[in-house]
């Protein structure tokens, strides 16, 4: 197999093995400002937690992708001021001294998302379920009372 030198470092790359290629990161040694978001184990899972919020005639429905987590590792809480909080933690897999890691891409760490619920939410009837790595939180809505309309006969 032909080996070629990498132009962006001292390592050599195997042309025929896509997993052995060195990826050049032009910002690797670039100092980041504290105002920029950095990918650390503590924030990477938070950044990657995707949540959809849809409103149906009956409820507000939140769906969160939490693959690989058990329901015991996820918390759904509601604060007094109508704030729904979804949080959890994915732990780092334990390393074995005999293992050789080739790539670590799955995120680990804590995540937390907060949503202010509207006035029409029934705070005491919130339900949550988890299936196939998707957390579903259903917040029923208060029924909108339709005004009573009474027909008045017109005399004359």
């Amino acid at each position: 197999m032909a080996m070629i030198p990498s132009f962006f470092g001292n390592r050599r790359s195997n042309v025929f093995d896509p997993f052995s290629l060195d990826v050049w990161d032009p910002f690797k040694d670039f100092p980041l400002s504290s105002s920029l978001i950095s990918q650390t184990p503590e924030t990477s899972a938070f950044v990657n937690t995707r949540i959809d919020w849809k409103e149906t005639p009956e409820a507000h429905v939140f769906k969160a992708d939490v693959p690989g987590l058990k329901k015991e590792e996820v918390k759904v809480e509601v604060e007094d001021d109508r704030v729904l909080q979804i949080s959890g933690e994915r732990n780092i897999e334990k390393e074995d001294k005999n293992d050789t890691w080739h790539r670590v891409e799955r995120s680990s760490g804590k995540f937390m998302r907060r949503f202010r619920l509207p006035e029409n939410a029934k705070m005491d009837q919130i339900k949550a379920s988890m299936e196939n790595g998707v957390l579903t939180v259903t917040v029923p809505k208060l029924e909108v009372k339709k005004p009573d309309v009474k027909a008045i006969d017109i005399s004359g």
Side-chain angles (χ1 to χ4, degrees):
M1 292 188 157
M3 299 290 280
I4 61 170
S6 171
F7 293 106
F8 305 109
N10 295 331
R11 296 182 183 163
R12 298 177 66 90
S13 299
N14 184 338
V15 176
F16 300 106
D17 183 3
F19 297 109
S20 72
L21 293 176
D22 293 327
V23 178
W24 178 56
D25 182 6
F27 303 107
K28 182 178 78 167
D29 297 320
F30 188 72
L32 289 176
S33 166
S34 62
S35 63
L36 297 175
I37 296 175
S38 61
Q39 282 279 57
T40 64
E42 291 79 28
T43 61
S44 61
F46 172 82
V47 172
N48 293 326
T49 303
R50 306 286 188 217
I51 298 180
D52 295 336
W53 176 2
K54 74 175 177 179
E55 182 175 354
T56 67
E58 298 82 28
H60 295 275
V61 180
F62 297 84
K63 290 194 176 211
D65 288 339
V66 288
L69 292 183
K70 300 177 189 126
K71 67 180 185 177
E72 295 82 18
E73 297 171 318
V74 178
K75 286 184 3 183
V76 178
E77 301 170 311
V78 178
E79 297 176 3
D80 291 334
D81 54 349
R82 308 183 80 77
V83 174
L84 173 69
Q85 179 173 298
I86 299 171
S87 61
E89 183 172 5
R90 179 176 290 121
N91 295 318
I92 298 173
E93 191 171 328
K94 293 181 180 171
E95 291 186 30
D96 186 350
K97 298 293 182 195
N98 298 326
D99 292 344
T100 301
W101 291 83
H102 293 281
R103 191 172 302 276
V104 178
E105 295 182 345
R106 296 184 308 147
S107 59
S108 61
K110 296 179 182 181
F111 67 90
M112 179 181 67
R113 297 291 305 273
R114 294 166 56 102
F115 302 92
R116 181 164 307 280
L117 297 172
E119 293 293 322
N120 66 352
K122 289 184 180 179
M123 303 302 289
D124 57 340
Q125 295 181 13
I126 298 174
K127 294 187 185 255
S129 64
M130 197 151 82
E131 184 176 343
N132 296 329
V134 178
L135 172 71
T136 302
V137 179
T138 305
V139 183
K141 291 167 49 176
L142 294 170
E143 294 178 23
V144 178
K145 187 173 181 181
K146 296 179 182 176
D148 293 332
V149 178
K150 181 179 175 185
I152 307 295
D153 289 334
I154 302 173
S155 61

